[in-house]
Amino acid sequence: SQTIHQWPATLVQPVGSPLSLECTVEGTSNPNLYWYRQAAGRGLQLLFYSVGIGQISSEVPQNLSASRPQDRQFILSSKKLLLSDSGFYLCAWSGGNNQPQHFGDGTRLSIL
Amino acid sequence: SQQGEEDPQALSIQEGENATMNCSYKTSINNLQWYRQNSGRGLVHLILIRSNEREKHSGRLRVTLDTSKKSSSLLITASRAADTASYFCATDFQGAQKLVFGQGTRLTINP
């Protein structure tokens, strides 16, 4: 069966520090991969999605970047975190267009 | 905005009652999906209904889709305390490779 792993579960970082969040999927090949951010009590904002290795689509201009170095690995990065980067970050995968998405357990990021 | 919008934003009912949540959207879709999120966790997929379908069932869940009104509803029958969660609709727009999520309905089931 397919599984998705996202880590760390929580992270506290100072303003101006770098960030790297990792997401890996097992049990499937060539998944679509997604990074979302969720503000407290709100819906999901799509940040990046990828339909293949090295293919990244950015949804909103921001302080973040994403990379897909391997088929089932999706990384969210920042060179310098801002206070506004705080939030709940969720990774998801799907089997393709018109398919359900399957989410990791999320990373709670707090910027001090 | 192409975003789906849920209504109500919050709903509190007694255990055993039925809960109905609604979702509206603005442009043509391939499908509409409903997700559930327990506090502090990731989202869990509940049901996917395609644009050519009008109703779908899964256990105590019933989803309807009215493409002429660009709206969908999620009905949870015989609610349980464990159904307490936030529920989101997400639309898969034609020509897109992504979902657009609404702001969610926060459902509380009182024992």
Side-chain angles (χ1 to χ4, degrees):
Chain A
S1 64
Q2 301 92 355
T3 56
I4 179 168
H5 302 280
Q6 190 181 341
W7 67 93
T10 59
L11 189 59
V12 180
Q13 292 284 96
V15 170
S17 64
L19 173 74
S20 180
L21 300 180
E22 188 164 342
C23 173
T24 60
V25 180
E26 296 177 358
T28 187
S29 60
N30 197 31
N32 287 359
L33 297 171
Y34 308 85
W35 277 111
Y36 293 90
R37 178 168 58 202
Q38 185 178 30
R42 302 297 301 276
L44 275 66
Q45 178 188 34
L46 179 63
L47 302 175
F48 301 94
Y49 68 95
S50 171
V51 299
I53 296 174
Q55 300 179 56
I56 308 294
S57 296
S58 174
E59 285 297 295
V60 293
Q62 59 209 334
N63 187 40
L64 302 169
S65 63
S67 61
R68 184 171 178 173
Q70 300 180 42
D71 182 43
R72 291 168 291 175
Q73 184 185 30
F74 206 22
I75 297 172
L76 183 69
S77 304
S78 174
K79 292 181 179 177
K80 278 189 174 183
L81 285 167
L82 307 172
L83 284 174
S84 59
D85 292 323
S86 291
F88 190 49
Y89 288 82
L90 289 158
C91 180
W93 73 272
S94 74
N97 297 340
N98 303 315
Q99 297 295 316
Q101 292 187 13
H102 307 278
F103 285 79
D105 283 334
T107 294
R108 174 92 41 209
L109 176 64
S110 299
I111 310 299
L112 304 179
Chain B
S1 167
Q2 296 176 320
Q3 195 175 43
E5 297 181 0
E6 286 96 338
D7 171 59
Q9 291 187 341
L11 178 62
S12 181
I13 61 174
Q14 294 300 120
E15 195 167 19
E17 295 180 338
N18 296 341
T20 299
M21 290 158 272
N22 303 296
C23 172
S24 60
Y25 58 93
K26 295 184 179 179
T27 63
S28 297
I29 61 173
N30 293 319
N31 65 69
L32 186 145
Q33 303 179 30
W34 285 91
Y35 290 80
R36 165 197 170 119
Q37 183 181 33
N38 287 72
S39 181
R41 303 298 301 275
L43 279 70
V44 175
H45 178 259
L46 296 176
I47 288 184
L48 181 153
I49 185 165
R50 302 192 188 283
S51 60
N52 61 353
E53 297 175 311
R54 292 297 167 257
E55 188 171 311
K56 226 170 175 180
H57 297 254
S58 177
R60 294 184 294 113
L61 306 181
R62 172 179 169 246
V63 168
T64 61
L65 178 64
D66 187 334
T67 52
S68 66
K69 295 181 179 178
K70 292 186 170 59
S71 67
S72 174
S73 67
L74 169 66
L75 169 68
I76 303 175
T77 60
S79 64
R80 305 167 181 170
D83 294 328
T84 294
S86 291
Y87 292 82
F88 295 89
C89 70
T91 43
D92 188 339
F93 292 97
Q94 290 180 358
Q97 295 173 312
K98 57 192 179 184
L99 293 177
V100 178
F101 284 81
Q103 296 299 303
T105 293
R106 192 168 57 256
L107 175 65
T108 302
I109 308 299
N110 302 302

XYZ file of all heavy atoms in Angstrom, chain B residues 18-65:
394
model
N -28.467 14.423 12.013
C -27.789 14.497 10.718
C -27.106 15.854 10.557
O -27.606 16.867 11.043
C -28.780 14.299 9.574
C -29.403 12.922 9.583
O -28.872 11.989 10.199
N -30.530 12.785 8.911
N -25.974 15.854 9.873
C -25.235 17.098 9.620
C -25.140 17.311 8.120
O -24.778 16.394 7.378
C -23.834 17.021 10.213
N -25.481 18.518 7.685
C -25.395 18.854 6.263
C -24.482 20.046 6.070
O -24.642 21.078 6.726
C -26.780 19.186 5.685
O -27.628 18.042 5.826
C -26.659 19.537 4.204
N -23.528 19.897 5.161
C -22.611 20.974 4.812
C -22.699 21.226 3.321
O -22.864 20.277 2.548
C -21.171 20.586 5.188
C -20.951 20.553 6.683
S -19.543 19.530 7.170
C -20.343 17.943 7.334
N -22.578 22.470 2.929
C -22.728 22.840 1.528
C -21.456 23.470 0.984
O -20.667 24.058 1.736
C -23.888 23.835 1.380
C -25.181 23.263 1.916
O -25.700 22.291 1.412
N -25.697 23.872 2.988
N -21.303 23.348 -0.321
C -20.122 23.890 -0.997
C -20.576 24.503 -2.313
O -21.338 23.882 -3.057
C -19.125 22.762 -1.237
S -17.707 23.198 -2.268
N -20.119 25.707 -2.597
C -20.418 26.335 -3.884
C -19.110 26.681 -4.583
O -18.094 26.930 -3.921
C -21.268 27.588 -3.678
O -20.575 28.534 -2.876
N -19.138 26.689 -5.903
C -17.950 27.004 -6.674
C -18.343 27.815 -7.890
O -19.541 28.051 -8.124
C -17.215 25.717 -7.088
C -18.059 24.755 -7.889
C -18.064 24.775 -9.277
C -18.862 23.819 -7.247
C -18.851 23.909 -10.005
C -19.651 22.948 -7.964
C -19.633 22.986 -9.340
O -20.426 22.117 -10.055
N -17.361 28.266 -8.677
C -17.681 29.265 -9.693
C -17.463 28.842 -11.132
O -18.096 29.397 -12.026
C -16.863 30.538 -9.411
C -17.245 31.196 -8.094
C -16.503 32.495 -7.870
C -16.936 33.133 -6.565
N -16.217 34.395 -6.283
N -16.560 27.892 -11.395
C -16.298 27.544 -12.789
C -16.501 26.049 -13.008
O -16.666 25.289 -12.065
C -14.882 27.949 -13.215
O -13.943 27.216 -12.423
C -14.651 29.425 -12.996
N -16.467 25.618 -14.267
C -16.707 24.213 -14.599
C -15.651 23.312 -13.974
O -14.480 23.670 -13.902
C -16.694 24.033 -16.122
O -17.734 24.761 -16.707
N -16.084 22.147 -13.532
C -15.196 21.233 -12.820
C -15.135 19.869 -13.487
O -16.052 19.477 -14.210
C -15.633 21.051 -11.346
C -17.046 20.466 -11.280
C -15.526 22.371 -10.587
C -17.500 20.087 -9.879
N -14.031 19.154 -13.229
C -13.946 17.733 -13.577
C -14.585 16.890 -12.480
O -15.284 15.919 -12.756
C -12.488 17.303 -13.754
C -11.839 17.939 -14.954
O -12.454 18.050 -16.014
N -10.608 18.378 -14.792
N -14.270 17.258 -11.242
C -14.838 16.558 -10.110
C -14.799 17.445 -8.883
O -14.141 18.498 -8.885
C -14.100 15.232 -9.842
C -12.657 15.438 -9.424
O -12.377 15.935 -8.333
N -11.727 15.048 -10.294
N -15.510 17.034 -7.862
C -15.509 17.727 -6.582
C -15.236 16.683 -5.509
O -15.750 15.564 -5.565
C -16.854 18.425 -6.340
C -16.964 19.315 -5.092
C -17.846 20.523 -5.385
C -17.471 18.561 -3.901
N -14.386 17.042 -4.557
C -13.977 16.082 -3.532
C -14.261 16.653 -2.147
O -14.186 17.861 -1.941
C -12.483 15.771 -3.679
C -12.118 15.247 -5.062
C -10.649 14.973 -5.225
O -9.941 14.639 -4.270
N -10.151 15.117 -6.459
N -14.546 15.768 -1.217
C -14.723 16.147 0.186
C -13.638 15.481 1.018
O -13.321 14.301 0.820
C -16.101 15.735 0.691
C -17.211 16.617 0.192
C -17.956 16.449 -0.937
C -17.696 17.820 0.810
N -18.871 17.475 -1.056
C -18.731 18.326 0.006
C -17.355 18.524 1.980
C -19.437 19.493 0.321
C -18.051 19.678 2.291
C -19.079 20.163 1.471
N -13.103 16.281 1.947
C -12.039 15.825 2.840
C -12.423 16.137 4.280
O -13.175 17.070 4.556
C -10.713 16.519 2.524
C -10.079 16.104 1.221
C -10.523 16.628 0.013
C -9.038 15.176 1.201
C -9.949 16.242 -1.188
C -8.445 14.792 0.002
C -8.909 15.331 -1.190
O -8.326 14.946 -2.368
N -11.818 15.378 5.170
C -12.018 15.580 6.602
C -10.658 15.823 7.244
O -9.649 15.228 6.846
C -12.657 14.313 7.182
C -12.617 14.188 8.683
C -12.884 12.751 9.092
N -12.611 12.569 10.499
C -13.513 12.198 11.392
N -14.756 11.958 11.019
N -13.179 12.066 12.653
N -10.615 16.723 8.239
C -9.381 16.996 8.947
C -9.651 17.036 10.444
O -10.396 17.890 10.928
C -8.762 18.329 8.510
C -7.420 18.618 9.174
C -6.828 19.951 8.756
O -7.544 20.908 8.498
N -5.504 20.011 8.664
N -9.038 16.127 11.166
C -9.058 16.191 12.619
C -8.024 17.227 13.056
O -7.028 17.454 12.365
C -8.756 14.823 13.228
C -9.926 13.876 13.075
O -10.212 13.405 11.981
N -10.626 13.617 14.151
N -8.250 17.813 14.196
C -7.422 18.907 14.675
C -5.939 18.537 14.680
O -5.545 17.526 15.261
C -7.864 19.311 16.083
O -7.083 20.386 16.556
N -5.129 19.349 14.008
C -3.684 19.142 14.009
C -3.180 18.010 13.137
O -2.016 17.631 13.232
N -4.048 17.474 12.304
C -3.659 16.335 11.459
C -3.781 16.684 9.982
O -4.256 17.754 9.597
C -4.542 15.115 11.771
C -4.528 14.670 13.214
C -3.146 14.236 13.659
N -2.618 13.135 12.874
C -2.884 11.848 13.126
N -3.677 11.500 14.119
N -2.349 10.900 12.370
N -3.343 15.748 9.144
C -3.519 15.920 7.712
C -4.955 15.659 7.292
O -5.777 15.218 8.085
N -5.255 15.959 6.032
C -6.609 15.737 5.526
C -6.769 14.292 5.070
O -5.831 13.675 4.578
C -6.904 16.671 4.352
C -7.314 18.091 4.702
C -6.158 18.888 5.272
C -7.901 18.799 3.480
N -7.992 13.803 5.219
C -8.326 12.450 4.784
C -9.400 12.545 3.717
O -10.433 13.202 3.914
C -8.817 11.598 5.969
C -9.278 10.235 5.479
C -7.720 11.449 7.005
N -9.177 11.900 2.588
C -10.142 11.932 1.491
C -11.383 11.128 1.859
O -11.282 10.002 2.365
C -9.504 11.354 0.233
C -10.441 11.310 -0.930
N -11.082 10.155 -1.324
C -10.873 12.279 -1.767
C -11.854 10.428 -2.356
N -11.736 11.694 -2.650
N -12.569 11.698 1.611
C -13.833 11.019 1.913
C -14.508 10.508 0.640
O -14.770 9.314 0.506
C -14.778 11.973 2.651
C -14.315 12.461 4.027
C -15.305 13.471 4.587
C -14.126 11.296 4.981
N -14.837 11.406 -0.249
C -15.594 11.041 -1.446
C -15.178 11.935 -2.610
O -14.932 13.126 -2.435
C -17.114 11.187 -1.207
C -17.633 10.085 -0.296
C -17.896 11.155 -2.514
C -19.149 10.124 -0.094
N -15.120 11.357 -3.796
C -14.913 12.088 -5.042
C -16.150 11.881 -5.895
O -16.575 10.738 -6.106
C -13.669 11.573 -5.773
C -13.271 12.248 -7.098
C -11.763 12.099 -7.313
C -14.031 11.686 -8.293
N -16.741 12.970 -6.369
C -17.912 12.880 -7.233
C -17.579 13.584 -8.545
O -17.085 14.721 -8.545
C -19.180 13.456 -6.551
C -20.412 13.230 -7.422
C -19.019 14.919 -6.181
C -21.739 13.437 -6.681
N -17.783 12.899 -9.652
C -17.423 13.445 -10.957
C -18.535 14.354 -11.472
O -19.682 14.255 -11.047
C -17.131 12.308 -11.934
C -16.023 11.402 -11.425
C -15.488 10.442 -12.446
N -14.574 9.497 -11.832
C -13.319 9.766 -11.492
N -12.819 10.965 -11.717
N -12.551 8.848 -10.937
N -18.197 15.163 -12.429
C -19.138 16.178 -12.914
C -20.373 15.566 -13.557
O -21.417 16.220 -13.632
C -18.445 17.117 -13.902
O -17.956 16.391 -15.008
N -20.284 14.312 -14.013
C -21.450 13.677 -14.639
C -22.243 12.818 -13.645
O -23.160 12.105 -14.032
C -21.029 12.821 -15.835
C -20.080 11.703 -15.442
O -19.627 11.635 -14.300
N -19.777 10.831 -16.391
N -21.873 12.886 -12.369
C -22.596 12.164 -11.322
C -23.424 13.147 -10.507
O -23.051 14.315 -10.357
C -21.614 11.420 -10.404
C -20.812 10.351 -11.142
C -19.767 9.706 -10.257
O -19.002 10.442 -9.585
O -19.719 8.446 -10.227
N -24.525 12.676 -9.955
C -25.402 13.558 -9.184
C -25.417 13.211 -7.704
O -25.706 14.062 -6.862
C -26.824 13.473 -9.733
C -26.953 14.064 -11.108
C -26.629 15.552 -11.098
N -26.441 16.084 -12.432
C -25.248 16.349 -12.959
N -24.139 16.115 -12.249
N -25.149 16.845 -14.165
N -25.114 11.956 -7.377
C -25.162 11.544 -5.976
C -24.207 10.376 -5.772
O -24.022 9.538 -6.668
C -26.593 11.123 -5.611
C -26.816 10.864 -4.156
C -28.298 10.676 -3.832
O -29.114 11.512 -4.261
O -28.620 9.689 -3.155
N -23.604 10.360 -4.570
C -22.712 9.265 -4.232
C -22.821 8.976 -2.745
O -22.995 9.892 -1.938
C -21.270 9.633 -4.595
C -20.538 8.534 -5.320
C -19.233 8.993 -5.871
C -18.519 7.801 -6.457
N -17.214 8.145 -7.017
N -22.697 7.701 -2.389
C -22.813 7.287 -0.996
C -21.559 6.550 -0.568
O -20.926 5.848 -1.363
C -24.017 6.350 -0.812
C -25.320 6.979 -1.122
N -26.218 7.358 -0.144
C -25.905 7.308 -2.303
C -27.289 7.875 -0.716
N -27.132 7.863 -2.020
N -21.217 6.706 0.704
C -20.150 5.916 1.304
C -20.465 5.790 2.784
O -20.285 6.732 3.553
C -18.795 6.590 1.106
O -17.774 5.853 1.754
N -20.966 4.620 3.179
C -21.346 4.436 4.581
C -22.405 5.435 5.003
O -23.470 5.518 4.397
N -22.107 6.212 6.035
C -23.059 7.229 6.521
C -22.942 8.558 5.774
O -23.602 9.532 6.138
C -22.819 7.467 8.018
C -23.145 6.267 8.895
C -22.977 6.587 10.384
N -21.584 6.855 10.710
C -21.142 8.067 11.090
N -21.965 9.094 11.183
N -19.860 8.234 11.373
N -22.123 8.612 4.743
C -21.914 9.843 3.987
C -22.701 9.807 2.690
O -22.747 8.787 2.000
C -20.429 10.029 3.656
C -19.447 9.995 4.818
C -18.026 10.216 4.293
C -19.796 11.015 5.872
N -23.320 10.950 2.383
C -24.019 11.091 1.104
C -23.632 12.437 0.516
O -23.757 13.472 1.172
C -25.529 11.013 1.298
C -26.343 11.343 0.048
C -27.830 11.224 0.322
N -28.613 11.800 -0.788
C -29.380 12.875 -0.678
N -29.508 13.493 0.483
N -30.056 13.320 -1.720
N -23.140 12.411 -0.706
C -22.728 13.641 -1.396
C -23.612 13.827 -2.616
O -23.869 12.874 -3.359
C -21.246 13.569 -1.814
C -20.899 14.691 -2.783
C -20.345 13.645 -0.593
N -24.071 15.044 -2.810
C -24.812 15.389 -4.020
C -24.060 16.480 -4.772
O -23.299 17.253 -4.181
C -26.226 15.878 -3.689
O -26.140 17.050 -2.877
C -27.018 14.804 -2.959
N -24.270 16.526 -6.060
C -23.637 17.533 -6.907
C -24.666 18.069 -7.883
O -25.334 17.290 -8.574
C -22.456 16.929 -7.669
C -21.718 17.870 -8.633
C -21.051 19.014 -7.876
C -20.693 17.096 -9.457
